[in-house]
């Protein structure tokens, strides 16, 4: 689950864990991801969560996430691409894409092919 540390991603992560799913919390900020993990664990008895770092603005981070995921898990049942940005001042990802395009289109598509 990308963007699982706040908003709809947090709520979806909580709902999945309430149904017994193991959820990988994939966020660029490990601090915020771990905060969300602790909060969900305090609300959902037996919540099963793993935190992995993933910055969708970096193809290197996406490749590292794929490697980390593959070393820890043998399958992926559901991928919920929730992370994104909107109405930000112009900036670019570290790979040179316009930020909104890079996070929500280009690098998200790249993540599906990187493993």
């Amino acid at each position: 689950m990308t963007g699982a540390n706040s908003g709809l991603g947090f709520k979806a992560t909580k709902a999945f864990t309430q149904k017994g799913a193991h959820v990988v919390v994939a966020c660029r900020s490990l601090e915020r991801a771990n905060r969300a993990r602790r909060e969900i664990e305090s609300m959902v008895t037996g919540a099963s969560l793993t935190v992995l770092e993933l910055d969708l603005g970096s193809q290197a981070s996406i490749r590292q996430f794929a490697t980390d995921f593959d070393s820890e898990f043998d399958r992926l049942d559901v991928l919920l691409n929730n992370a994104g940005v909107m109405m930000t001042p112009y900036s670019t990802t570290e790979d040179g894409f316009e930020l909104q395009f890079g996070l929500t289109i280009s690098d998200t598509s790249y993540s599906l092919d990187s493993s």
Side-chain angles (χ1 to χ4, degrees):
M1 168 85 62
T2 63
N5 61 296
S6 65
L8 290 173
F10 179 85
K11 292 185 182 301
T13 298
K14 180 182 169 194
F16 280 130
T17 61
Q18 287 172 322
K19 296 294 184 180
H22 179 82
V23 178
V24 175
V25 177
C27 299
R28 95 180 146 247
S29 167
L30 289 177
E31 179 183 339
R32 290 191 304 254
N34 281 307
R35 187 178 319 126
R37 177 189 50 80
R38 288 189 300 272
E39 188 173 344
I40 290 170
E41 288 173 342
S42 74
M43 295 185 291
V44 180
T45 303
S48 180
L49 299 147
T50 298
V51 170
L52 292 177
E53 187 173 21
L54 173 61
D55 180 354
L56 287 172
S58 163
Q59 291 181 357
S61 176
I62 293 167
R63 283 190 300 275
Q64 184 60 55
F65 172 84
T67 298
D68 295 344
F69 184 92
D70 284 346
S71 71
E72 193 160 341
F73 302 100
D74 61 358
R75 72 178 203 266
L76 173 67
D77 295 318
V78 176
L79 175 63
L80 194 104
N81 287 323
N82 174 69
V85 295
M86 192 169 181
M87 305 217 21
T88 59
Y90 180 82
S91 61
T92 59
T93 67
E94 73 177 43
D95 300 303
F97 297 107
E98 185 275 327
L99 184 64
Q100 186 168 346
F101 175 80
L103 290 178
T104 59
I105 307 292
S106 175
D107 286 349
T108 299
S109 297
Y110 178 79
S111 69
L112 296 174
D113 293 330
S114 64
S115 63

